[in-house]
Amino acid sequence: MSRDLNRLLRPKSIAVVGGGAWCKQVVLQSRKMGFAGDIWPVHPKRDTIDGLPVFRSIGDLPHPPDATFIGVNREATIDIVADLSAQGAGGAVCFASGFLEAQAEDASGADLQTALLTAAGDMPILGPNCYGFINYLDGALLWPDQHGGTRVDRGVAIITQSSNIAINLSMQARALPLAYVVTAGNQAQSGIADIGMALLDDPRVTALGLHIEGVGDLRAFETLAARARDLGKPIVAIKVGRSDQARAATVSHTASLAGQDAGAAALLSRLGIARVDDLPTFLETLKLLHIAGPLSQNTVATISCSGGEASLAADTGMAHHVTFPPLNARQKTDLRAALGPRVALANPLDYHTYIWRDVPAMTRTFAAMADAGVAITLLIVDFPRADLCDPSDWDCVIDATIGAARETGQLYGMAATLPELMPETVARRLMAAGVVPFNGLSEALAACAAATLIPHNPDPLTLPNQGTAATLIPEGAAKTALAAFGLAVPKSARCTSISAVQKIAPEIGFPQVLKGEGIAHKTEAGAVKLNLTSREETCAAAQSMSASSFLIEQMITDTIVELLVGVINDPAHGFVLTLGAGGTLTEILGDTVSLLIPATDDQIITALNRLRIAPMLQGYRGKPAVNLPAILRAINAVQDFTIAHRDDLQEIEINPLLCTPTDAIAADALLRRSL
């Protein structure tokens, strides 16, 4: 059930329950921030806290508070929440720990969390086990510690499950305007997606940053992503942690290749949420999104007065999936007019120092570099440390960059190669002029890549099941089941004895393949024999295998490339569809991409084209191309089977899918279901 978080996050009255140092900090920080509303300390024995009169109980307050910080033990927290809910309070932050997040050490934690939720009823709560929130827009905070932010008129919102990371992010000195910092704790009631919806609806919020340990409600995240798109407010995320359920799926190559993080990556990509790997890039991406919103393309131009910096930019860009378009005729003409004949023109550009301090010439140069085919033009500038040097000699590059941005109307940024060499005072000046100040060149280019508009899949994902123990289905039965959904399979027959093999082998035709049944990794176990050309060879192969039943199959001989098509049930994120290089070298090559089901044909084709073996699909060195429609039919057959059996399916693997000029045939099929 969705709850209205408006009173809690934007309160006009705050109650603080408890008398310890943490609660005193909430009062102190609220007053320090200049909160304009009422602050009511509550304690049964204290008379004043930080100079404010103390109320003996919730019932003694003048009226139900909009927001309450509850800083007492976990048992008392439940009683306080019940009192607040009964009186119609706006919401509460539950600071105490020892609820569901502690169930591994304390079995009572789960029962206490259930009691807490019952006590809250319809009243929203944050936590438990969380610091609360800081609203820098209105100067309202329920926060039991120091923080490093200041009041702003507009900015980005950040939600994290880690209170300590929230503190650290508030201390950033990168000129990023923080509108909200909210901690979700163990998300007993209000999850990250619920909080995100409330923050996005504030018109003063420009972008949303998420630090995610566990996703939780998948449908809620779909709703959050859709709302962000409708409002034009992009989301960037760091996803940490791994799914225990996905970790248990180890039977197939798919599970080991997809790894423990493929589901999270596929989910964020599907929702159009940018994903970054570290906190500095997280902040720099939010900074870029705050100023410019998402970029329409991943093209970058860089300008520096050093060949070393130009080379560094080009090399760094390769690691971050941005491109440096070559200069067009207009850029070259304008740059030559501004710089004269002594500078080699290229992107990245080293403009030397001939025009340093000549602000008009620098402005013309910087303006000439911008182009409609470039998403952002970056000046690479490291400022001298002000305690030992005079940074005023660098004012010329600031003035020229701001001038070029105004003249062209294009997006500009300024990146220091070392994060500490972008002073916050300079960053604030640049931001006020609409120029993105980046702390670190690598972080800048990573942010440009992350901020590039991500296509999303608006179709609801297929919800996973809870991942109970599963049975390995015999290969013949697995292929029959998948063939009913349109998967092409070789002509085959199942045999339960050597004599049956001897009888049936000629009926399949030669060459043929013999497989021992009941073995997940047949090649490693010697349970696959290929290119058998006679009854005698097939019987000898059967006698060499440690199997009680066998599968004889027609051998496909005109294969161009072997693919892997796999699905695992990841209870945390959905059904993960993995496509990659197949056959015996699957794990060695590690050439895979992952999507969530259902995936569209366009998404599947894009994913296939990202594989390193993609040239082989299109025809390589004189070989014919594969039949792409046949491959799509095979993959969609696997998707359709997954959707139809979503309640019990744990795993599918087609490896290899033999791709020929005319067809795509499943040579091997692994299927696990909870039956």
Side-chain angles (χ1 to χ4, degrees):
M1 177 179 66
S2 177
R3 293 171 173 82
D4 185 1
L5 296 173
N6 185 61
R7 284 179 66 193
L8 173 60
L9 295 175
R10 291 174 279 276
K12 292 181 171 56
S13 59
I14 293 173
V16 182
V17 181
W22 298 109
C23 293
K24 183 177 179 180
Q25 274 292 326
V26 175
V27 175
L28 175 65
Q29 295 299 332
S30 297
R31 302 180 76 183
K32 182 179 178 181
M33 182 69 79
F35 177 61
D38 295 315
I39 303 173
W40 299 322
V42 178
H43 193 274
K45 298 179 180 179
R46 300 282 295 274
D47 294 324
T48 63
I49 293 179
D50 197 39
L52 293 177
V54 175
F55 295 85
R56 292 288 177 257
S57 69
I58 294 294
D60 292 333
L61 296 176
H63 55 77
D66 291 328
T68 301
F69 182 89
I70 305 175
V72 297
N73 64 57
R74 58 183 184 170
E75 289 81 10
T77 293
I78 296 171
D79 295 334
I80 297 296
V81 166
D83 288 345
L84 289 166
S85 179
Q87 294 189 31
V93 168
C94 300
F95 181 61
S97 59
F99 291 85
L100 189 61
E101 80 283 352
Q103 64 177 335
E105 297 80 23
D106 184 351
S108 66
D111 292 337
L112 286 169
Q113 182 146 313
T114 299
L116 177 67
L117 292 173
T118 301
D122 294 338
M123 185 186 74
I125 59 173
L126 298 183
N129 189 29
C130 81
Y131 259 34
F133 68 89
I134 307 171
N135 173 346
Y136 288 109
L137 299 165
D138 303 308
L141 72 167
L142 275 69
W143 192 259
D145 207 335
Q146 298 184 77
H147 62 93
T150 58
R151 297 283 292 269
V152 297
D153 295 325
R154 59 192 293 273
V156 304
I158 293 175
I159 309 170
T160 171
Q161 289 178 255
S162 167
S163 297
N164 203 56
I165 284 180
I167 294 174
N168 297 341
L169 291 174
S170 82
M171 299 293 178
Q172 58 88 24
R174 296 166 178 256
L176 174 65
L178 299 175
Y180 292 90
V181 175
V182 184
T183 62
N186 75 11
Q187 304 183 84
Q189 181 210 76
S190 300
I192 287 177
D194 302 314
I195 300 167
M197 290 285 286
L199 298 180
L200 287 175
D201 282 339
D202 190 323
R204 300 166 294 178
V205 169
T206 56
L208 179 62
L210 306 177
H211 170 260
I212 307 169
E213 295 175 11
V215 171
D217 187 339
L218 292 171
R219 288 285 182 253
F221 263 81
E222 288 181 316
T223 302
L224 174 67
R227 182 62 175 159
R229 287 192 299 273
D230 291 343
L231 294 173
K233 297 182 180 183
I235 304 176
V236 59
I238 292 180
K239 171 65 177 71
V240 298
R242 299 295 184 261
S243 164
D244 290 335
Q245 296 94 330
R247 193 178 294 134
T250 57
V251 170
S252 72
H253 294 291
T254 302
S256 61
L257 283 166
Q260 301 155 358
D261 196 42
L267 176 65
L268 294 175
S269 177
R270 181 187 187 89
L271 298 180
I273 296 175
R275 186 182 189 185
V276 296
D277 295 328
D278 56 76
L279 292 175
T281 303
F282 179 71
L283 293 173
E284 297 307 308
T285 304
L286 283 171
K287 196 187 298 180
L288 172 56
L289 293 172
H290 169 73
I291 293 176
L295 304 182
S296 61
Q297 53 191 336
N298 69 336
T299 52
V300 176
T302 68
I303 309 173
S304 64
C305 58
S306 162
E309 290 171 345
S311 298
L312 182 63
D315 289 350
T316 304
M318 292 179 64
H320 293 303
H321 307 293
V322 297
T323 62
F324 298 86
L327 301 178
N328 58 37
R330 195 276 309 159
Q331 287 172 304
K332 290 180 179 178
T333 299
D334 291 353
L335 285 168
R336 184 62 69 206
L339 291 171
R342 293 184 291 175
V343 174
L345 303 181
N347 180 25
L349 175 68
D350 166 19
Y351 71 98
H352 298 269
T353 55
Y354 303 126
I355 58 172
W356 187 260
R357 302 185 188 91
D358 185 343
V359 173
M362 295 173 75
T363 303
R364 289 194 299 272
T365 299
F366 300 166
M369 196 68 172
D371 189 76
V374 173
I376 184 170
T377 302
L378 285 178
L379 278 295
I380 302 175
V381 183
D382 286 89
F383 290 85
R385 46 188 297 172
D387 58 338
L388 299 177
C389 306
D390 177 9
S392 63
D393 198 26
W394 271 251
D395 287 347
C396 59
V397 74
I398 299 173
D399 294 338
T401 303
I402 293 173
R406 289 173 177 166
E407 178 182 324
T408 64
Q410 299 291 322
L411 179 62
Y412 281 77
M414 187 176 292
T417 59
L418 298 178
E420 62 270 24
L421 297 186
M422 171 58 71
E424 190 171 17
T425 53
V426 173
R428 292 188 186 281
R429 180 180 171 189
L430 292 169
M431 288 193 73
V435 175
V436 188
F438 290 108
N439 293 64
L441 177 60
S442 179
E443 290 87 344
L445 295 174
C448 291
T452 302
L453 196 63
I454 303 173
H456 68 280
N457 185 339
D459 297 329
L461 59 84
T462 301
L463 294 179
N465 58 65
Q466 290 307 302
T468 55
T471 300
L472 181 65
I473 308 300
E475 183 182 350
K479 284 182 174 175
T480 299
L482 289 161
F485 283 78
L487 182 67
V489 299
K491 180 181 178 182
S492 64
R494 184 169 181 264
C495 305
T496 57
S497 66
I498 300 294
S499 60
V501 170
Q502 185 177 29
K503 177 182 178 181
I504 294 174
E507 299 176 9
I508 299 299
F510 299 101
Q512 60 188 219
V513 179
L514 183 73
K515 301 175 182 178
E517 287 196 317
I519 302 169
H521 298 303
K522 296 180 177 65
T523 301
E524 291 88 335
V528 177
K529 299 294 182 183
L530 306 175
N531 203 32
L532 301 170
T533 59
S534 67
R535 185 203 310 256
E536 291 74 23
E537 286 186 9
T538 302
C539 289
Q543 290 170 341
S544 71
M545 295 180 185
S546 298
S548 58
S549 61
F550 307 91
L551 189 66
I552 307 175
E553 290 186 336
Q554 168 195 12
M555 184 167 178
I556 309 303
T557 57
D558 55 348
T559 300
I560 296 172
V561 66
E562 298 181 350
L563 289 179
L564 173 143
V565 180
V567 175
I568 58 170
N569 171 47
D570 177 354
H573 305 109
F575 285 98
V576 182
L577 171 67
T578 297
L579 308 175
T584 57
L585 298 178
T586 291
E587 288 183 310
I588 293 176
L589 294 176
D591 184 16
T592 62
V593 291
S594 292
L595 306 167
L596 289 182
I597 291 176
T600 65
D601 284 355
D602 286 345
Q603 289 175 318
I604 292 169
I605 292 169
T606 298
L608 291 171
N609 287 332
R610 287 171 52 196
L611 297 173
R612 294 195 300 274
I613 62 165
M616 298 177 67
L617 301 175
Q618 299 154 7
Y620 184 68
R621 292 196 171 185
K623 286 191 174 184
V626 299
N627 187 318
L628 183 59
I631 294 175
L632 290 174
R633 283 196 298 273
I635 295 171
N636 284 324
V638 171
Q639 289 203 96
D640 291 344
F641 184 92
T642 299
I643 294 169
H645 298 89
R646 57 187 176 273
D647 292 338
D648 61 52
L649 179 69
Q650 301 307 321
E651 193 165 11
I652 300 174
E653 181 174 282
I654 309 301
N655 187 24
L657 180 72
L658 302 178
C659 304
T660 75
T662 60
D663 212 343
I665 303 168
D668 196 2
L670 179 149
L671 176 61
R672 290 196 310 130
R673 295 176 63 186
S674 300
L675 300 175

